[in-house]
Amino acid sequence: MLSAAGLSAEEEAAYRLLVRTAGVEPAELAEELGVDSEAARRALGSLLAKGLARAVPGEPDRFAAVAPDVALAARLHRRQEEVDRARQAVEQLTAEYLAHSRRREAARLIEVITSRTALREQLRLLQDNARHEVVSLCRAGHVAMTSQENTEELAALRRGVGYRVLYERALLEEPGMLVNLADGIELGEQARALPTLPVRMIIADGELGVLPLIQHTGGLTQLTAALIRPSSLLDALKALFESLWERATPISLTTPGSPLDSDHLYLLSLLVAGVPDKSIATQLKVSQRTVQRRITHLMEQAGAQTRMQLAWHAARENWL
């Protein structure tokens, strides 16, 4: 477990023993670890050199551990700095590679993916390598994976990557989607919805996009998708996303200044997005009557006689 801090298995075992004791001699260490005295002395010497162990004052033959938060934190920080420098070097080399490859072969701006397995792997890598923001258009009917299978998004959200996702309304009616969507929003995903979307796509950091070229594969076992690097085509796709995002309906659990709790705000978001009562009730595992009762409560709170008036009031009062 401490290999990330530069410790071998032998060194980690020795250090863990030192942490649990007030101090040990090399012979005691060898006996506890089940190794010969030479191996024990070698492990101790390495720990001393790395600043993880120290001689016990007044007992030069006994050794104790240096506090982990002092010794290991500094080593991990240095390792992280090395990883960051290496990552920057990789990014620089990638930029140089792409710049030269574009001059050699313009076709490399677009690479064709012809299998679900390859597309799934590319989507995984794209999100795992994202540093700043991922934007996505999600249509109903999955091509490579369902939203519930996209565990990479949740991992990226947890490490601070921003997500803006536009959902097609029909997708929100698919089983399990509303619970999955709420999980993402709680982790920081910004979600909006439109009645229909023209394409499905995903773009990471504005630098790499994936676009299925066949939107409806039906019973076909193969598909065709494009991996798109920085180009006028990628710029056009980014502009398409932004134009759709501006006119889409927000789906929220919390909104600053809104008088609604998370349950009612989420319900109102779904209602304005056009998700049917029955679908909301089924996915959230409540009765349709409960959904209608909550909508009636929202209408009373807004002083609205119809759902259209409720939506108008919510927009005017910035409830969403």
Side-chain angles (χ1 to χ4, degrees), residues 41 76 102 107 125 132 146 160 196 198 253 263 284 286 307:
R41 289 185 178 278
L76 288 172
R102 288 177 199 138
L125 290 173
H132 307 294
T146 65
T196 60
L253 293 176
D263 289 342
L284 299 184
V286 297
R307 294 188 179 194

Side-chain angles (χ1 to χ4, degrees), residues 49-61:
K50 294 178 177 179
L52 296 171
R54 58 179 175 78
V56 175
E59 300 182 70
D61 291 332

Side-chain angles (χ1 to χ4, degrees), residues 225-241:
L227 178 66
I228 306 167
R229 294 192 170 88
S231 59
S232 295
L233 175 57
L234 187 60
D235 290 341
L237 293 175
K238 291 189 289 185
L240 171 64
F241 176 87

Side-chain angles (χ1 to χ4, degrees), residues 58 67 81 85 155 255 273 308 312:
E81 289 180 338
R85 286 195 294 270
T255 298
M308 183 175 294
W312 179 82

Side-chain angles (χ1 to χ4, degrees), residues 12-13 21 26 41 55 65 90 101 121-122 139 142 161 163 236-237 241 251 259 268 291 303:
E12 179 175 346
T21 63
R41 289 185 178 278
V90 169
S101 67
E121 180 64 14
Q122 187 58 59
R139 298 185 70 190
H142 67 278
V161 177
Y163 268 74
L237 293 175
F241 176 87
I251 301 177
L268 178 61
V291 171

Side-chain angles (χ1 to χ4, degrees), residues 213-227:
L213 300 178
I214 299 176
Q215 298 298 326
H216 302 284
T217 58
L220 299 177
T221 57
Q222 298 296 322
L223 58 79
T224 303
L227 178 66

